[in-house]
Amino acid sequence: MAYSVAQRTREMGIRIALGAGTGQVVTLVLRGRPAARADRLLIGALAGFGAGRLIASLLYNVKATDPIVFLVVSWFFLSVALLACWLPARKATQVDPIEALRTE
């Protein structure tokens, strides 16, 4: 994600120079990213459900399909994905338009 934002530094600089606000730049960077992560989270939860059924004998005091465990793990990974998207988006709002235009 950070690499993607770094590649678009010039675009962010031009948008900021033309009057784009902080919220608009963050929205531009985040557009579509959390939804893509949610799809992968669903696939991972389904795979975890299947794997949990296979290794149920190794789990101690937890059912293989415990919904609390799935919710906590899903919340954790979704939070990490959102943070990984938000940090570069926040950095993109601090781009100096003059420096962004000089980079290439």
Side-chain angles (χ1 to χ4, degrees):
M1 185 66 195
Y3 179 74
S4 172
V5 172
Q7 293 295 315
R8 297 171 63 188
T9 302
R10 185 171 180 178
E11 176 190 354
M12 303 299 168
I14 291 171
R15 288 180 184 272
I16 292 171
L18 292 174
T22 303
Q24 292 171 328
V25 174
V26 170
T27 302
L28 177 70
V29 173
L30 292 180
R31 187 181 306 148
R33 298 297 181 189
R37 302 302 185 257
D39 291 347
R40 293 176 188 139
L41 186 65
L42 180 63
I43 292 169
L46 292 174
F49 181 78
R53 306 275 293 164
L54 289 174
I55 61 170
S57 63
L58 300 175
L59 298 174
Y60 175 73
N61 205 15
V62 175
K63 293 187 302 186
T65 58
D66 190 7
I68 301 297
V69 172
F70 275 93
L71 287 175
V72 169
V73 170
S74 297
W75 177 82
F76 173 74
F77 282 121
L78 189 59
S79 298
V80 169
L82 288 174
L83 185 66
C85 292
W86 181 73
L87 289 175
R90 189 179 67 115
K91 186 176 179 184
T93 63
Q94 299 169 351
V95 171
D96 181 29
I98 301 296
E99 290 297 321
L101 295 173
R102 283 187 193 159
T103 57
E104 291 189 30

